[in-house]
Amino acid sequence: MTKRTLGELEHQVLLTVLRLGNDAYCAEVVVELDERTGRSVAAAAVYIALRRLEESGLVESSKRVSEGRGGERERRWFAVTAAGVELLRDSRRQMLELWDGLEPILADR
Amino acid sequence: MSDRDPGRSHAGPPAWLRRCLRLALPDAHREAVVPELDALYRITRERRGAVGAGLWYARQIVSFGARLRIARLGPHPGPDIPSGRPSHPTFAWNAWGRDAVRAIRRSPGWAAMTISCLAIGVAGVSVVFGVANWVLLRPVPGIAAPDELVTVVLGSTQSDRAAWPISHPDLLRLRERSRVSRGFVGTVEQDVHFATGRGGTAERVAGEIVTADYFEVLGVRPARGRGFSAEEEVAGAGDVVVVSDRLWALHWDRDPAAIGSIVDVNGAPITVIGVAPPTFHGARLPGRSELWFPPGALPTLVHAPEILQLGSRQVWGSILVRRADGAFVEDVAAELNRGMEEIRVEQSGSAHSFMAEHVVFRAFDGIGLDPLIRAPVERTLWLLGGAAGFLLLLACTNVANLGLLRSASLGPSIAVRRALGAGTARILVGRLVETCLLGLLGGVLGVCVAWLAATILEGTGLGLVGVPLDGLSLDGRVLGITIGAGVLAGALAGLGPALATRSVEAGAILGSARHGDRRAVRARGFLVVAQNALAVVLLVGAGLLGRTLANLRDVDLGIVPENVLTFQLKPDRQGYEAGEVVALMRSLLERLRARPDVDAATAVFSAPYESLFFPGVLKRPGAEWNDDDVRARTFLVTGGFFDAYGIELLAGRDVRDDEAFSSDTAARRIAVLNEAAARALFPGERPSAVVGRTFDSRAAEDRPVHVIGVVRDARVERPSAPPAPQLFVPWGQGWEVGRFSVAVRGGGTTAGLGAGVYDLLGGLDPGLPALSMITVERRLDELLAEERLLAALAVALAVLGAVLAALGLYGVLAYDVSQRTREIGIRSALGAVPTRILALVARTGVGLTAVGGLIGLAGAIYLSRFLESRLYGVESLDITTYATGGIVLLATALLATWGPARRALRVDPMQALRDE
């Protein structure tokens, strides 16, 4: 796959999936993002982001049966692939490079 | 993590919301999204409560529906997608709606044409239905449970139209014996002279005499004060009145102190005891009552103390009954007729009148428009509704035609969609959604057009059988019907063209699809023929009605209507005795004639174009009274009558004032005859030979009447009624009448005359208002209001019909030319002269129009029978009108051919050939 850059939401979603133990379903990602970032994201946007990431091979999904009210139902669980982890690592390095030496300036203002 | 696991707590979203979500989601995402949103719903519900969560869920439906469509995600790539389920065709309305909007935006010309055609078609239906709704269906304001009410019309076995009132004692007996009613009310209209202070300037106000429980039976609570009590039905005990909200506001400025104040009605003091609620104006439509009196007030109002007693005048003109449970309208009529029969037996041989012997009750469900004028109004509206239906049909054929053209131009794209696997149903539904959407837009635009038309109609002062259209409004019912008709018309008109796309094959390639298939071409031709046929029917109908109106306007009335002002005076209401009436008449005429702007003034009972009149029965001297006697409308006149109305004196002389005002009963009886009366009494004799002869009149008893003059025939009832025998008798030699009309012929205009009359009357008796003041010209216009309405609407519908037909033809020809560019190019390259090319295009247009026109003319000949009763001075099979209709249609067709023909002429042969 060619070099792919991450959108902000995609970035956040990817990190959240990783944080949730590489074992997350969509609703959980929405709630976690909500609580961590303090801003509410549209569930549909998260769903679409997950699907785009999946299309790009950065996450993979599988179906499992979960138990809920009204009996068993199939839900889709997501995990970050090796490529996803690689991209995150890349992105983090770039970010840190860019941030290097800027903290004092921000602190001053 | 289990503490946050949303799958365990609380119930999911309401089932209907979840169904909405499933509908909104594209197929590929349904199974994945629903459980996730269920989980999030539970969390949201814990935080925001059920309502908040419901709202949030609803927002998610929109959000997911929209975003997933925009995102255009592919199917899940994962290995474990259940693939066994076959995909079924789902009706994704939103997707179709989007496609339809896109299609409409892509061809705005076609869409605009379709929408305007539908709008025109629907607007006609809307206006006619609006008028029907206003005149027939509108509920009477302020009345409780109107369905239980029954209007009883009092007629007679002697005549089927005349109102035939019953006496007060008879009404009381019928009311007492009524078993099928929970409420029983007698009413009679009674216009009065009304002034708020004693001796103040009076105005004419429409009132009603009603039995005491009138307000209770109708379920109307007086807004102020009270209604009537049973004691107030007794003569002398009921000099009270309930006034309308309008009068209360006008004269008392809504001051509660109005209750208990004394007003002057017909010169007598009456106490105000209540104010009716704001919208209430009686149980009739159009409601105009402003005052309600109990029976006890009647003797005072008409200056006849004995009127409520047996053997006196007949009082009650109509009865309203609130049916008891389980009783039908037929029971009401049957019971009343039975009751009247019993009364006749009990009263036989006593003072019971001729009228009571012949009264017959007819009951009609509901209240509102007078049941007797309902039927003719309904017939008129059916006629107009038929014409509007024709117009809508025309619009539909036009839309269908446009749809066929579009189907042809869509051929390639449909072929592509077919190739991509779209099923027939899918394509069909798509096209139908398109036309329904256009129908909806057409309906909305039609409402705007109808609203405009209704506003214009309202301003014209046209009316339908005396029901004025002012206040005409299009309510929710009309709007619903209009928009519904638009959608339905769109759907119906779109069905054919949609089916036509069925035949487009997946394999059809661009080139071959362009020539369209033969069936569609034939269908388009057929539609144009149908349109032209419909348009001709409308044109002929409008022509016949228009000529009727023109004939009625041009008819020789025998009078000169310009510059004549008429008004009525009813001094008997104010208690004038016969001698006082004559004195008043005399001084009024003297003062009027003294004015420099008055050429002639006369007093008459009853004036031309008033509906109430005396029928006189005449015979030749020496003959026996029998059925062949001459019946003549009798006018009681003073001097100057023929001058005032401009009726030509053919022989002899006019009645003189001294003869009119003489009370000498022994004087020689004299009369002026019109030609028709002279012909009937003295057949074959010249007018000059008739003067000096005598005849007998029932009214003059045993004394011969001398003819002193003969005048030209004049139409004095309606412009359409041919002159019947008329008899003009000096006032003093006729019946004793307490009211009269005055006609004044002005020298220049009638503008200043009205004010002058008011001044004069104010000086004579301020309590005596001039009633129904109107110029004769205006009165004639009023009499023609229905003909004008009919003609105006028919012409409007016909013009729109012709325009629609022309548009349809234009569309077909324009398409034809664009398809035959190559042929035309080759022809002109081979040396065809422009006229030949013009003929090529025109031949199609004229041919289709001619066939349609001929079919239409045949249809018009058949349908014209329904118009027959409304025509005047023109045959229903009038050749000229039919020919004109055909010519107008042909002319519009040529106009429609003009554009496409010019385009054909401009075809550059080189260009056309290169394009191929």
Side-chain angles (χ1 to χ4, degrees):
Chain A
M1 105 162 289
T2 55
K3 191 132 185 159
R4 188 190 191 286
T5 50
L6 287 171
E8 188 188 2
L9 184 69
E10 283 175 333
H11 201 158
Q12 291 177 352
V13 166
L14 207 55
L15 285 172
T16 311
V17 173
L18 207 60
R19 175 175 297 276
L20 287 172
N22 229 353
D23 205 13
Y25 50 83
C26 176
E28 236 186 351
V29 176
V30 174
V31 174
E32 177 73 21
L33 259 177
D34 207 31
E35 287 177 357
R36 286 257 161 205
T37 63
R39 61 171 216 201
S40 72
V41 288
V46 173
Y47 177 83
I48 291 169
L50 278 170
R51 294 294 312 280
R52 290 227 187 283
L53 291 171
E54 191 177 8
E55 276 175 2
S56 317
L58 300 176
V59 298
E60 58 189 6
S61 71
S62 59
K63 270 190 168 180
R64 293 188 200 163
V65 174
S66 87
E67 261 181 64
R69 274 176 82 94
E72 302 179 341
R73 62 195 313 180
E74 286 182 336
R75 298 180 70 178
R76 196 168 280 275
W77 294 68
F78 292 90
V80 183
T81 58
V85 174
E86 185 58 37
L87 193 68
L88 275 177
R89 198 175 282 139
D90 234 32
S91 151
R92 179 185 140 78
R93 189 180 46 74
Q94 283 170 15
M95 278 300 182
L96 285 177
E97 292 275 305
L98 288 170
W99 272 110
D100 192 31
L102 289 182
E103 274 93 350
I105 298 175
L106 284 185
D108 285 351
R109 300 211 169 179
Chain B
M1 188 178 117
S2 62
D3 60 329
R4 232 185 14 214
D5 188 339
R8 303 270 183 259
S9 57
H10 290 298
W16 65 271
L17 266 178
R18 191 184 280 145
R19 239 190 330 271
C20 287
L21 177 70
R22 295 185 73 90
L23 276 175
L25 290 173
D27 292 356
H29 302 280
R30 202 165 289 139
E31 298 312 319
V33 171
V34 173
E36 301 305 318
L37 273 183
D38 279 3
L40 285 169
Y41 172 85
R42 287 182 202 109
I43 296 169
T44 315
R45 197 183 141 124
E46 269 175 30
R47 291 180 187 166
R48 304 194 207 164
V51 178
L55 288 174
W56 172 85
Y57 197 85
R59 227 169 34 241
Q60 299 310 309
I61 295 175
V62 179
S63 166
F64 268 90
R67 283 172 195 251
L68 285 178
R69 278 184 175 72
I70 295 166
R72 292 181 180 279
L73 291 169
H76 254 287
D80 44 9
I81 291 175
S83 53
R85 210 159 58 102
S87 73
H88 53 90
T90 45
F91 289 89
W93 292 106
N94 40 9
W96 265 315
R98 187 192 57 207
D99 285 352
V101 170
R102 202 176 285 159
I104 289 166
R105 279 168 62 177
R106 216 175 291 143
S107 27
W110 162 73
M113 283 275 270
T114 305
I115 291 174
S116 20
C117 284
L118 283 172
I120 290 171
V122 195
V125 172
S126 182
V127 168
V128 174
F129 183 69
V131 172
N133 188 44
W134 177 252
V135 176
L136 294 177
L137 308 174
R138 165 171 62 128
V140 185
I143 289 174
D147 313 343
E148 297 171 2
L149 290 170
V150 173
T151 306
V152 180
V153 173
L154 280 63
S156 124
T157 52
Q158 304 286 298
S159 126
D160 40 323
R161 270 213 68 106
W164 208 260
I166 58 169
S167 69
H168 186 57
D170 288 349
L171 180 91
L172 295 186
R173 270 189 224 113
L174 290 172
R175 181 169 72 178
E176 211 169 278
R177 294 172 193 184
S178 178
R179 297 284 164 269
V180 297
S181 65
R182 285 194 284 129
F184 188 104
V185 175
T187 71
V188 62
E189 292 180 10
Q190 179 79 36
D191 288 4
V192 295
H193 302 165
F194 175 88
T196 41
R198 291 290 292 168
T201 306
E203 56 173 327
R204 172 219 212 143
V205 177
E208 271 183 279
I209 314 286
V210 297
T211 47
D213 50 356
Y214 176 76
F215 290 107
E216 287 84 61
V217 171
L218 292 185
V220 175
R221 282 176 67 89
R224 294 261 162 187
R226 61 174 179 91
F228 305 123
S229 66
E231 300 83 65
E232 283 161 350
E233 291 201 347
V234 181
D239 286 350
V240 295
V241 64
V242 171
V243 301
S244 71
D245 183 78
R246 193 186 75 84
L247 283 185
W248 185 45
L250 192 70
H251 292 294
W252 287 277
D253 210 10
R254 299 184 183 279
D255 182 359
I259 309 293
S261 62
I262 310 279
V263 291
D264 186 314
V265 183
N266 287 358
I270 303 276
T271 310
V272 176
I273 58 162
V275 177
T279 53
F280 184 70
H281 286 285
R284 272 175 187 273
L285 278 180
R288 51 184 213 107
S289 300
E290 307 269 12
L291 297 170
W292 292 269
F293 304 94
L298 191 58
T300 316
L301 296 181
V302 299
H303 307 282
E306 75 298 341
I307 189 164
L308 295 181
Q309 290 157 25
L310 188 62
S312 177
R313 292 228 307 264
Q314 312 295 313
V315 173
W316 299 102
S318 128
I319 295 172
L320 289 175
V321 169
R322 193 173 279 279
R323 279 186 284 120
D325 289 336
F328 292 103
V329 61
E330 294 82 7
D331 303 336
V332 174
E335 187 189 66
L336 283 169
N337 284 319
R338 218 169 34 241
M340 202 63 214
E341 195 51 51
E342 286 170 24
I343 292 172
R344 281 184 202 121
V345 172
E346 289 162 22
Q347 301 284 323
S348 61
S350 72
H352 222 235
S353 75
F354 167 76
M355 289 187 100
E357 290 300 317
H358 294 285
V359 68
V360 60
F361 298 92
R362 283 193 286 159
F364 298 89
D365 250 321
I367 49 171
L369 192 67
D370 184 345
L372 293 181
I373 62 173
R374 218 184 155 86
V377 170
E378 276 173 1
R379 275 199 296 276
T380 302
L381 285 171
W382 273 115
L383 203 66
L384 286 174
F390 262 59
L391 187 69
L392 184 58
L393 208 59
L394 228 165
C396 283
T397 51
N398 231 342
V399 171
N401 214 333
L402 287 165
L404 281 177
L405 291 180
R406 185 167 157 76
S407 291
S409 67
L410 278 182
S413 87
I414 289 173
V416 168
R417 288 176 71 179
R418 270 276 158 80
L420 291 176
T424 302
R426 209 181 169 86
I427 290 171
L428 266 182
V429 174
R431 301 275 339 261
L432 274 182
V433 170
E434 232 170 72
T435 53
C436 283
L437 188 65
L438 288 176
L440 185 70
L441 293 173
V444 172
L445 189 65
V447 167
C448 300
V449 176
W451 177 79
L452 201 71
T455 315
I456 294 172
L457 262 185
E458 198 193 329
T460 53
L462 299 179
L464 203 59
V465 208
V467 182
L469 295 180
D470 47 337
L472 172 68
S473 63
L474 305 177
D475 59 12
R477 190 153 41 172
V478 180
L479 298 192
I481 293 241
T482 308
I483 294 176
V487 174
L488 196 68
L492 284 179
L495 195 63
L499 288 175
T501 53
R502 232 176 10 175
S503 56
V504 176
E505 288 306 324
I509 50 162
L510 255 65
S512 63
R514 242 172 76 177
H515 292 290
D517 78 272
R518 286 201 152 276
R519 265 215 326 252
V521 172
R522 255 206 317 272
R524 286 200 294 277
F526 172 76
L527 285 175
V528 169
V529 167
Q531 272 170 5
N532 281 306
L534 291 170
V536 159
V537 172
L538 287 175
L539 280 171
V540 168
L544 289 173
L545 289 171
R547 289 193 60 184
T548 294
L549 182 64
N551 287 340
L552 286 174
R553 284 235 169 104
D554 292 347
V555 75
D556 180 13
L557 294 167
I559 68 164
V560 183
E562 291 82 15
N563 293 333
V564 183
L565 185 73
T566 65
F567 57 92
Q568 293 175 20
L569 290 176
K570 298 189 172 173
D572 55 338
R573 275 196 193 152
Q574 301 292 102
Y576 278 57
E577 297 296 334
E580 292 170 326
V581 172
V582 171
L584 171 79
M585 189 189 289
R586 203 170 190 158
S587 54
L588 179 64
L589 288 180
E590 266 166 24
R591 290 176 196 208
L592 278 171
R593 287 173 187 155
R595 285 176 62 101
D597 56 348
V598 169
D599 281 359
T602 186
V604 52
F605 184 91
S606 59
Y609 312 115
E610 279 173 21
S611 49
L612 181 79
F613 60 87
F614 285 131
V617 184
L618 319 176
K619 72 172 177 62
R620 304 193 58 161
E624 292 298 309
W625 291 110
N626 58 39
D627 290 346
D628 303 334
D629 299 334
V630 178
R631 273 154 213 278
R633 172 168 173 170
T634 306
F635 295 84
L636 307 182
V637 297
T638 66
F641 176 83
F642 302 111
D643 289 341
Y645 277 97
I647 298 175
E648 191 187 340
L649 195 63
L650 295 175
R653 65 172 178 89
D654 192 356
V655 172
R656 286 196 309 266
D657 270 351
D658 59 303
E659 291 162 334
F661 296 138
S662 156
S663 54
D664 179 8
T665 48
R668 199 170 69 115
R669 298 274 167 173
I670 55 171
V672 175
L673 298 178
N674 74 341
E675 287 175 282
R679 266 198 306 275
L681 284 170
F682 310 102
E685 305 210 18
R686 283 180 300 112
S688 55
V690 172
V691 176
R693 306 277 289 270
T694 62
F695 63 92
D696 291 337
S697 158
R698 270 258 163 93
E701 306 285 336
D702 47 350
R703 315 236 317 266
V705 182
H706 296 261
V707 179
I708 59 164
V710 175
V711 292
R712 251 191 88 197
D713 281 339
R715 297 179 180 232
V716 291
E717 278 156 56
R718 287 186 315 277
S720 59
Q726 291 152 14
L727 180 67
F728 304 87
V729 175
W731 185 273
Q733 294 188 8
W735 299 265
E736 204 172 275
V737 190
R739 50 191 60 184
F740 57 92
S741 296
V742 176
V744 186
R745 173 170 293 279
T749 67
T750 49
L753 272 179
V757 166
Y758 283 121
D759 286 348
L760 274 180
L761 279 173
L764 286 169
D765 180 353
L768 198 62
L771 311 174
S772 318
M773 187 179 284
I774 192 169
T775 63
V776 171
E777 277 183 301
R778 273 298 303 268
R779 179 76 189 121
L780 287 168
D781 265 355
E782 276 183 9
L783 288 172
L784 291 179
E786 190 177 340
E787 281 84 0
R788 278 160 60 211
L789 176 75
L790 209 56
L793 285 181
V795 168
L797 290 175
V799 168
L800 291 177
V803 168
L804 284 179
L807 283 178
L809 186 63
Y810 172 85
V812 167
L813 291 183
Y815 182 75
D816 196 43
V817 168
S818 74
Q819 294 300 294
R820 289 164 79 178
T821 311
R822 180 159 169 265
E823 181 195 338
I824 293 167
I826 293 173
R827 278 173 188 265
S828 42
L830 291 178
V833 287
T835 43
R836 282 203 68 99
I837 291 173
L838 273 183
L840 191 73
V841 179
R843 201 167 52 206
T844 320
V846 173
L848 291 175
T849 309
V851 174
L854 286 177
I855 295 174
L857 286 176
I861 287 172
Y862 174 76
L863 289 171
S864 65
R865 69 181 65 185
F866 296 107
L867 276 180
E868 209 148 290
S869 64
R870 317 211 163 236
L871 300 183
Y872 178 83
V874 55
E875 292 288 309
S876 66
L877 298 180
D878 179 63
I879 298 286
T880 324
T881 310
Y882 282 73
T884 314
I887 290 169
V888 169
L889 186 77
L890 214 57
T892 13
L894 285 177
L895 216 63
T897 317
W898 177 246
R902 265 168 57 107
R903 205 165 313 147
L905 279 184
R906 278 203 303 256
V907 168
D908 175 6
M910 291 317 290
Q911 191 67 42
L913 293 174
R914 207 177 299 139
D915 282 349
E916 284 297 309

